[in-house]
Amino acid sequence: MARVFFMLDEIQKAGSDFDSALASANEVKALADLRVRYFGRKGGLIPALFGQLKDVPKEQKKEVGDALNKLRDRIESALKEKSDRATADESARKTSRDTIDVTLPARMPHLGNLHPITLVRQEMEKIFREMGYSVDPGPEIETDWYNFESLNFTPDHPARDTQDTFFVDVPGMLLRTHTSNVQIRSMEQTKPPLKVISCGRVYRRDEITMRRSPMFHQAEAILVDKGIHIGHMRATLEYFVRKIFGGDPKFRLRPSFFPFTEPSAELDMSCLFCNGNGCGTCSQTGWMEILGCGMVHPQVLRNVAIDPEEWSGFAFGMGIDRVAMLTYDIPNIRTLFENDLRVLQQF
Ligand code: DAH
């Protein structure tokens, strides 16, 4: 009798041990280990209990046998149910990890973007191309002849001062101080009529300030044809400046001096920010200086063997950096050359 109670106790204890072992076994592997612990042929608890059945007195065999069968079935089905669930969960997790979701939008590689100076330069070239101009950037390392002498700068002109110009080691060579060198090169290369636009880097020995840099960018255009007068220049410039800045500004030509144009002028436009009423940007004048221009000097034409009695033309030069600063509201020219990605990625 004692043996029977002992067996029934053992069976009950095996049942409750199993319940707590099952509660903490969640992975497929842990559940498989649990199965071995209970059903393993060698040392499995259930087969061991069945082995003890032969020692139970005949009259009790049925009761103990029933209890044992019940325990075996219960453990069997509980293990199966939890293992099936764990297997399904694990494979679902694995699938979601390994599968590509084809409905996700593609992640595009970042290709970079154009620098604000490049954007403005391309826009300027586009406007002039549409008017039939050809594009020629010209060289940045230049001879004294193309940068100064052919453009009528006298040998003692202050612009030739070492304070203003970067000279390179090769005698007579320098970094161009303006894009006007391209005027001469274009007129040498192409017989008139000609229309050329040139955009590129220029260099001057300036201190770096909010608005000045020793390297900056200019756009230059020249047109030579028969019967060209200052009205053609003004119409071309106004058309161009309107296209670049938009809106409907007023213009004025202010007399000025450049050695290579006669007459020379500067083009002002009514301030973009205050519509000509006066503000901080235009120093309360209502006007903004936009570019230098003029009719090509007869001596400059002669320097490239073009007869000023037969041909005339106009030219102008303009800072590209300034246009980029006004267009994109950049107060400091340094911003354009620091290559800070946080800035550049905004364009
Ligand atoms: N080269 C001049 C400068 O750097 C700008 C300029 C003025 C260009 C008048 C021209 C012009 O073509 O006609 O300040």
Side-chain angles (χ1 to χ4, degrees):
M1 211 46 198
R3 178 70 196 166
V4 172
F5 283 131
F6 181 67
M7 275 289 285
L8 288 174
D9 265 2
E10 239 183 301
I11 290 166
Q12 202 185 11
K13 183 167 183 311
S16 53
D17 282 354
F18 170 76
D19 289 338
S20 56
L22 184 71
S24 56
N26 295 309
E27 307 293 313
V28 174
K29 167 88 172 59
L31 289 159
D33 290 348
L34 202 55
R35 169 174 294 278
V36 171
R37 203 155 101 209
Y38 281 85
F39 292 109
R41 234 175 260 168
K42 273 188 208 150
L45 196 65
I46 300 292
L49 287 172
F50 271 105
Q52 289 174 29
L53 205 55
K54 62 180 188 319
D55 302 328
V56 174
K58 233 192 232 143
E59 332 67 81
Q60 315 299 342
K61 259 199 172 70
K62 187 171 162 17
E63 190 186 354
V64 176
D66 282 350
L68 206 47
N69 281 334
K70 245 172 135 180
L71 177 70
R72 182 199 54 206
D73 293 348
R74 187 168 75 78
I75 293 182
E76 181 84 63
S77 68
L79 267 178
K80 182 174 173 350
E81 193 197 310
K82 196 160 180 185
S83 309
D84 285 354
R85 223 182 320 128
T87 309
D89 282 357
E90 260 176 46
S91 78
R93 248 180 285 140
K94 190 164 172 344
T95 314
S96 73
R97 229 182 9 244
D98 295 351
T99 317
I100 295 165
D101 180 355
V102 292
T103 65
L104 273 181
R107 253 178 254 147
M108 301 306 283
H110 183 68
L111 293 179
N113 39 317
L114 294 176
H115 192 281
I117 296 280
T118 309
L119 293 173
V120 171
R121 198 197 74 214
Q122 288 183 345
E123 181 63 20
M124 289 178 167
E125 289 177 353
K126 178 166 166 273
I127 296 168
F128 276 94
R129 270 209 182 95
E130 284 167 3
M131 292 193 282
Y133 285 65
S134 55
V135 177
D136 179 2
E140 288 175 29
I141 300 177
E142 194 48 289
T143 61
D144 184 275
W145 167 259
Y146 285 105
N147 193 81
F148 290 129
E149 204 170 331
S150 61
L151 288 164
N152 234 5
F153 285 85
T154 52
D156 57 352
H157 195 283
R160 291 167 176 246
D161 199 300
T162 50
Q163 296 301 314
D164 295 319
T165 306
F166 287 110
F167 294 91
V168 295
D169 286 346
V170 184
M173 301 291 282
L174 44 83
L175 298 184
R176 67 176 175 190
T177 57
H178 53 183
T179 41
S180 301
N181 64 329
V182 185
Q183 291 188 21
I184 303 297
R185 291 188 171 272
S186 305
M187 289 191 288
E188 275 182 352
Q189 267 157 31
T190 315
K191 293 249 154 300
L194 62 93
K195 299 195 259 192
V196 179
I197 165 110
S198 168
C199 295
R201 293 194 189 100
V202 301
Y203 303 85
R204 286 183 202 174
R205 290 190 57 163
D206 270 328
E207 294 292 323
I208 303 178
T209 64
M210 291 274 280
R211 299 178 72 178
R212 280 171 187 273
S213 152
M215 187 278 292
F216 57 106
H217 300 79
Q218 279 189 340
E220 181 99 13
I222 180 163
L223 178 148
V224 180
D225 205 332
K226 289 189 171 154
I228 296 301
H229 54 74
I230 207 161
H232 296 115
M233 179 182 86
R234 184 165 178 146
T236 306
L237 294 182
E238 290 188 8
Y239 171 79
F240 165 63
V241 175
R242 271 206 184 94
K243 277 246 168 189
I244 278 284
F245 289 109
D248 191 20
K250 287 199 220 23
F251 293 96
R252 70 178 183 192
L253 278 176
R254 213 166 11 87
S256 184
F257 174 78
F258 301 102
F260 43 92
T261 44
E262 181 56 38
S264 303
E266 277 176 57
L267 183 76
D268 294 349
M269 100 181 168
S270 53
C271 177
L272 285 172
F273 298 91
C274 62
N275 271 326
N277 294 321
C279 67
T281 309
C282 60
S283 311
Q284 309 303 329
T285 61
W287 293 98
M288 297 168 92
E289 290 174 21
I290 291 298
L291 51 84
C293 55
M295 302 306 292
V296 181
H297 196 293
Q299 184 57 44
V300 172
L301 292 174
R302 267 182 237 115
N303 288 345
V304 287
I306 293 177
D307 180 1
E309 298 299 324
E310 192 181 354
W311 303 95
S312 56
F314 64 80
F316 81 90
M318 181 179 196
I320 298 181
D321 316 77
R322 177 118 188 283
V323 176
M325 289 163 73
L326 289 171
T327 307
Y328 300 117
D329 203 8
I330 300 171
N332 190 336
I333 194 170
R334 297 176 181 95
T335 310
L336 293 172
F337 306 129
E338 280 167 351
N339 288 335
D340 184 334
L341 285 179
R342 290 168 304 175
V343 174
L344 297 184
Q345 277 166 356
Q346 296 177 41
F347 297 94

